[in-house]
Amino acid sequence: MEKLVNDFSFGLFFWQATILAILIFLLVKFAWKPIMESITAREEGIKDAIAAAENAKKEMQNLQADNERILKEARIERDALLKEARELREKMIADAKEDAQVQGQRLIEQAKTIIEGEKNAALSELKAQVSAISLEIAEKLIKQELSTKDAQVKLVDQLLGEVKLS
């Protein structure tokens, strides 16, 4: 250190101080502003990136909440549609049963009417056959009973006695 103090030169010091001052002046004049602007721009970029990340995070949370809400609404709507479909199916089944029952009742009534008509037709035919058979039997009996002249006169007298003249 002593050597430094002994070798000290004012001229060298002056030129070194002048060069340092010029260098500082040049740095301040030409480099300081761009350096500070780039540092400020970078700082602003970092702040913007942080703000964008925060906004993206908030938007993500909002989207997640919206998705959950939409899913919940979709589930509710699905449940409502399923319930409506079940009710519609049950109504259709009940209507079909009721229609089938009404149709069955109508067919039964129709069958009863047809059976009643067939029964009446059969009874009429049976009565006609019984009448025809009865007439044949009566005819044969009368022929047999009235084969003699005396039996015929007796029957005529009996019938005339039964008929009253008013």
mmCIF file of all heavy atoms in Angstrom, residues 10-11 43 94:
data_model
loop_
_atom_site.group_PDB
_atom_site.id
_atom_site.type_symbol
_atom_site.label_atom_id
_atom_site.label_comp_id
_atom_site.label_asym_id
_atom_site.label_seq_id
_atom_site.Cartn_x
_atom_site.Cartn_y
_atom_site.Cartn_z
ATOM 1 N N PHE A 10 -1.132 12.872 -9.837
ATOM 2 C CA PHE A 10 -2.351 13.665 -10.005
ATOM 3 C C PHE A 10 -2.808 13.653 -11.450
ATOM 4 O O PHE A 10 -4.017 13.674 -11.711
ATOM 5 C CB PHE A 10 -2.126 15.105 -9.526
ATOM 6 C CG PHE A 10 -2.229 15.228 -8.064
ATOM 7 C CD1 PHE A 10 -1.088 15.448 -7.273
ATOM 8 C CD2 PHE A 10 -3.452 15.139 -7.433
ATOM 9 C CE1 PHE A 10 -1.182 15.562 -5.917
ATOM 10 C CE2 PHE A 10 -3.529 15.264 -6.067
ATOM 11 C CZ PHE A 10 -2.406 15.475 -5.294
ATOM 12 N N GLY A 11 -1.950 13.633 -12.377
ATOM 13 C CA GLY A 11 -2.333 13.628 -13.792
ATOM 14 C C GLY A 11 -3.096 12.363 -14.149
ATOM 15 O O GLY A 11 -4.136 12.397 -14.818
ATOM 16 N N GLU A 43 -40.604 -5.397 -15.963
ATOM 17 C CA GLU A 43 -41.389 -5.377 -14.726
ATOM 18 C C GLU A 43 -42.883 -5.325 -15.054
ATOM 19 O O GLU A 43 -43.680 -6.060 -14.455
ATOM 20 C CB GLU A 43 -40.981 -4.160 -13.893
ATOM 21 C CG GLU A 43 -41.613 -4.128 -12.524
ATOM 22 C CD GLU A 43 -41.127 -2.915 -11.731
ATOM 23 O OE1 GLU A 43 -39.915 -2.619 -11.731
ATOM 24 O OE2 GLU A 43 -42.002 -2.275 -11.112
ATOM 25 N N ALA A 94 -101.862 -47.521 -18.620
ATOM 26 C CA ALA A 94 -103.201 -47.441 -18.029
ATOM 27 C C ALA A 94 -104.249 -47.216 -19.116
ATOM 28 O O ALA A 94 -105.316 -47.847 -19.096
ATOM 29 C CB ALA A 94 -103.242 -46.321 -16.990
#
